[in-house]
Amino acid sequence: MTSSSRSLTEIQRRIDEVRRFLATTLSIANAHTVEFYTHDVWDRFTAVPPEEVLSAVSSCGDRQGAPEHSAKENSGTTFGFCNATNRLIDIHELLCAAKAHSLPGLGVCMSRDEILQALRENWENPGTQLEPDEFMNCKKSHEVQSMSEVVACLAQHCGVKQVIDVGSGKGYLSSFLSLQYGLQVYGIDSSSTNTHGAQERNRKLKKFSKAYQKHSKAQKEAPHSPQDEPGMNQDEDVSCGDAAGVVSPEEEKVLNSVSGVNPVEEMQPNPETDELFLSALSVDVIQDTPPRDPPVQLSAEERERRKRENLERKARNRTDSASTLFSPLTSYVTAETELRELIDELEDAVMVGLHTCGDLAPSTLRMFVAKAELAAVCSVGCCYHLLSEEFDPAGQERLGGTCGFPLSQYLRNQSLFCGRNARMSACLALERVSLGQGIQMESLFYRAVLHVILRDHYSAFKSEKRVGNVYSKAKSFVDYVRRALRRLELDDSKLSDDDIQEYHDAYRPRMGEMHAFNMLKVALAPCIEGLLLLDRLCYLKEQEDLSFSALVQLFDPLLSPRCYAVVGLKSCKDRTSS
């Protein structure tokens, strides 16, 4: 496979284009929705009516075709913002520029079909095709099926049989890779609960796989029912059938129960694409995903327990049948993790990550670059709001080389800072919003008006406590405010119900401003995500021993908004010499 058509110089040029656009517009994405009314955000950033913004966003979503670069020269505006006041005055110019500076507009991504065609030189078909939607929900089935084929092609192209799935979670991708493609997969997750669950789920899926293959074989050999064949009764059909193709009652039960996976568990919303997509518009609205405990924060007993569990699991895997191809392991993974200490049987492998959270995605790429045994990488990240930034002006930066952004030396040399609210905005799903799967505006409106009440009556602008998910339990705005005040440990008896309702009624006519402003954030989301992903691609392009690197759109963004994978291949001679 030859090197990617996109050179390092071209990727750097695209990064510069996106940076120039965001230099003008990023302040909108970084604005706190919670402070929307207390800081008069709408008038500060815009000079157009909210109705005009909403109409333009709606009509822009209906138009098809390639976006046009529309930074007007000598018009007094830059990307729709007045050069004199820095306020938005031309919404159409902004939306066209946003499209042009998204990944599709920049034209830097490969499609899934393109990378499969490039990798399939001597592709061996795995035979019976498992249908993942038999035992996963629609979204997860789409992701696993789309990504696993690319990973299997990468493995065959590199001549390797092992895959390391970082942040493997419930083990769906790992199990499918092992069952469908016969790959030896090591799934590594920091949660022992996930590891144990993945082990049990894989056991059930193996049972499902065997039953499914027998069921498929029986269907192929007996395409018609006995009633459809003249002169054949049911007894004759069974007696002449291949015993290997007959599904036993127990196996039929497995098929009917769809592998034993709890369907209620499967339909729980994905926090990245459902809950976060709807509510991650400000740092004060969203409740963070609980952070993983790094090794230095684990007690000696916990570290010893995890080590013992991994050793016991390895021993069980060695004593299991030779068909055991999926080994879940519990470990906190960083770029410095020694894989050979976790995996005794480690050979050359492909490293993958499906929706690896926060810093884990860039750590996966760093590990790929640093470890000679890793031949290829396919990484799909998520939860951009949990990325750490090296050049945070608030003084929260970490030591160089340990932060998730920026990853490339090109942007590190420029000390680039994005901002947490902007990264949170990058998690929004433009495609879904465009189809009417809108933002939960009322909860955001409630929180912003609550902030006005806190300013007027409690002087609590910067309370270290968080309101949390009070909205889902509240029966009305008054109930919401009282619950929130009690959560913040403030005296809610200072205000009567009428006092609280007056705030709601006073700001309710301005709710359209908040809706329009958040739609501007949605429009900018693909550009911010593009910058984060181009930084990761640039990092791989900067490495001398890579033969190929690219951004690949693996998924349908309507089904899976975090749809882009960073893919890299090392040169065979460099791996051999290492």
Side-chain angles (χ1 to χ4, degrees):
M1 189 169 180
T2 58
S3 61
S4 168
S5 60
R6 305 294 178 185
S7 66
L8 172 61
T9 301
E10 183 173 357
I11 295 304
Q12 291 173 341
R13 185 167 62 250
R14 296 302 190 191
I15 288 175
D16 290 341
E17 292 176 13
V18 178
R19 279 203 62 195
R20 178 171 173 265
F21 173 69
L22 291 178
T24 301
T25 60
L26 197 62
S27 56
I28 286 181
N30 268 321
H32 289 263
T33 307
V34 165
E35 299 171 342
F36 189 80
Y37 298 121
T38 57
H39 286 191
D40 201 15
V41 169
W42 180 258
D43 287 337
R44 200 170 86 214
F45 288 104
T46 70
V48 293
E51 296 80 11
E52 183 178 336
V53 171
L54 292 173
S55 175
V57 170
S58 176
S59 62
C60 186
D62 293 336
R63 289 198 298 267
Q64 302 295 323
E68 299 178 359
H69 290 266
S70 58
K72 299 177 182 177
E73 296 182 2
N74 303 319
S75 65
T77 63
T78 302
F79 303 124
F81 286 80
C82 175
N83 294 334
T85 64
N86 294 324
R87 297 170 73 197
L88 177 65
I89 60 175
D90 190 335
I91 179 60
H92 293 284
E93 183 182 350
L94 172 64
L95 294 179
C96 287
K99 276 192 172 184
H101 292 89
S102 66
L103 289 178
L106 293 170
V108 295
C109 294
M110 295 180 71
S111 70
R112 178 176 172 274
D113 288 342
E114 286 173 333
I115 194 169
L116 285 175
Q117 184 178 2
L119 290 169
R120 280 174 169 165
E121 297 172 355
N122 299 297
W123 173 246
E124 296 178 5
N125 193 298
T128 302
Q129 294 287 326
L130 288 175
E131 297 296 335
D133 55 358
E134 296 281 355
F135 49 90
M136 304 177 199
N137 63 39
C138 180
K139 174 182 179 295
K140 184 58 66 177
S141 170
H142 171 67
E143 293 166 352
V144 167
Q145 197 166 27
S146 299
M147 187 169 183
S148 63
E149 188 174 2
V150 172
V151 173
C153 285
L154 285 170
Q156 180 169 302
H157 181 85
C158 297
V160 302
K161 289 291 185 181
Q162 291 188 355
V163 173
I164 300 173
D165 184 3
V166 179
S168 53
K170 295 181 178 180
Y172 290 118
L173 178 63
S174 298
S175 294
F176 194 77
L177 284 169
S178 63
L179 292 173
Q180 177 65 51
Y181 296 102
L183 294 165
Q184 175 68 62
V185 185
Y186 297 95
I188 305 176
D189 197 271
S190 63
S191 167
S192 58
T193 301
N194 280 344
T195 302
H196 290 304
Q199 183 87 18
E200 177 63 15
R201 191 170 290 104
N202 184 66
R203 183 187 67 79
K204 294 178 180 179
L205 293 181
K206 283 201 297 183
K207 185 182 292 185
F208 171 86
S209 175
K210 292 176 183 178
Y212 184 87
Q213 290 177 16
K214 284 189 177 183
H215 184 68
S216 298
K217 184 175 181 181
Q219 284 186 322
K220 290 179 181 179
E221 294 181 353
H224 304 290
S225 65
Q227 291 81 359
D228 295 335
E229 293 292 339
M232 178 180 290
N233 59 41
Q234 189 171 358
D235 292 335
E236 290 173 334
D237 181 55
V238 173
S239 64
C240 66
D242 185 351
V246 177
V247 181
S248 70
E250 181 182 1
E251 291 168 334
E252 187 67 32
K253 183 178 179 181
V254 174
L255 285 170
N256 291 337
S257 65
V258 193
S259 83
V261 178
N262 185 346
V264 176
E265 174 188 279
E266 281 307 291
M267 294 309 294
Q268 294 301 313
N270 181 295
E272 166 65 15
T273 58
D274 296 334
E275 179 181 294
L276 180 60
F277 147 69
L278 292 171
S279 63
L281 288 171
S282 79
V283 70
D284 297 286
V285 174
I286 187 171
Q287 287 184 308
D288 284 348
T289 302
R292 299 175 298 156
D293 293 326
V296 293
Q297 295 180 8
L298 297 175
S299 66
E301 292 80 4
E302 175 65 13
R303 289 198 297 270
E304 184 61 30
R305 185 185 67 79
R306 291 190 178 189
K307 181 178 180 181
R308 185 172 61 252
E309 284 182 353
N310 285 336
L311 291 174
E312 291 173 354
R313 191 171 294 111
K314 287 180 183 180
R316 285 198 303 272
N317 290 337
R318 282 193 291 266
T319 57
D320 282 346
S321 66
S323 63
T324 301
L325 293 175
F326 172 41
S327 303
L329 304 169
T330 304
S331 178
Y332 182 90
V333 177
T334 69
E336 290 74 35
T337 299
E338 287 297 335
L339 296 174
R340 295 192 183 277
E341 293 181 2
L342 293 175
I343 306 169
D344 294 333
E345 306 83 2
L346 181 64
E347 302 172 359
D348 284 357
V350 176
M351 175 162 279
V352 303
L354 174 54
H355 290 153
T356 46
C357 189
D359 284 346
L360 186 55
S363 290
T364 299
L365 299 179
R366 285 193 176 103
M367 196 181 308
F368 163 66
V369 168
K371 311 296 182 186
E373 60 267 28
L374 298 178
V377 67
C378 183
S379 170
V380 181
C382 70
C383 299
Y384 302 129
H385 64 294
L386 296 180
L387 279 171
S388 60
E389 293 202 54
E390 183 175 354
F391 302 104
D392 187 341
Q396 300 173 355
E397 62 270 70
R398 303 185 194 174
L399 294 176
T402 61
C403 289
F405 181 83
L407 185 62
S408 67
Q409 194 60 48
Y410 183 69
L411 287 183
R412 291 185 68 202
N413 289 342
Q414 301 176 48
S415 302
L416 184 64
F417 173 70
C418 186
R420 189 176 190 275
N421 277 346
R423 287 183 279 108
M424 194 175 290
S425 297
C427 297
L428 296 168
L430 174 62
E431 292 81 7
R432 287 185 172 182
V433 175
S434 298
L435 288 185
Q437 300 178 28
I439 302 167
Q440 291 180 340
M441 286 307 308
E442 189 175 64
S443 65
L444 300 174
F445 172 71
Y446 277 15
R447 184 62 184 86
V449 178
L450 171 66
H451 208 61
V452 178
I453 294 174
L454 293 175
R455 177 197 65 185
D456 292 350
H457 298 278
Y458 296 93
S459 301
F461 288 102
K462 298 294 183 181
S463 172
E464 293 184 0
K465 300 180 178 64
R466 293 191 181 277
V467 172
N469 189 22
V470 172
Y471 174 79
S472 63
K473 303 174 184 177
K475 299 177 182 178
S476 64
F477 178 72
V478 172
D479 186 33
Y480 170 85
V481 171
R482 296 207 178 281
R483 286 174 178 270
L485 292 175
R486 290 193 293 269
R487 177 72 66 87
L488 296 173
E489 299 180 2
L490 297 172
D491 181 12
D492 69 314
S493 66
K494 292 174 61 175
L495 297 171
S496 68
D497 289 355
D498 289 342
D499 291 335
I500 296 173
Q501 188 62 36
E502 283 181 8
Y503 277 93
H504 176 277
D505 296 344
Y507 284 93
R508 183 64 180 80
R510 297 181 58 190
M511 191 172 174
E513 296 175 358
M514 176 177 280
H515 187 191
F517 193 79
N518 285 326
M519 292 306 294
L520 293 178
K521 287 192 171 191
V522 171
L524 295 175
C527 308
I528 303 168
E529 181 181 31
L531 178 65
L532 299 175
L533 295 179
L534 285 171
D535 171 56
R536 296 174 187 181
L537 178 60
C538 185
Y539 171 74
L540 292 187
K541 296 286 184 186
E542 291 170 346
Q543 313 308 316
E544 296 181 356
D545 62 341
L546 266 62
S547 62
F548 173 85
S549 56
L551 283 176
V552 181
Q553 183 176 333
L554 285 187
F555 311 136
D556 179 345
L558 283 175
L559 285 173
S560 183
R562 307 282 74 77
C563 62
Y564 295 103
V566 181
V567 176
L569 279 166
K570 286 180 182 172
S571 304
C572 292
K573 61 180 180 179
D574 291 311
R575 287 197 295 116
T576 303
S577 62
S578 299

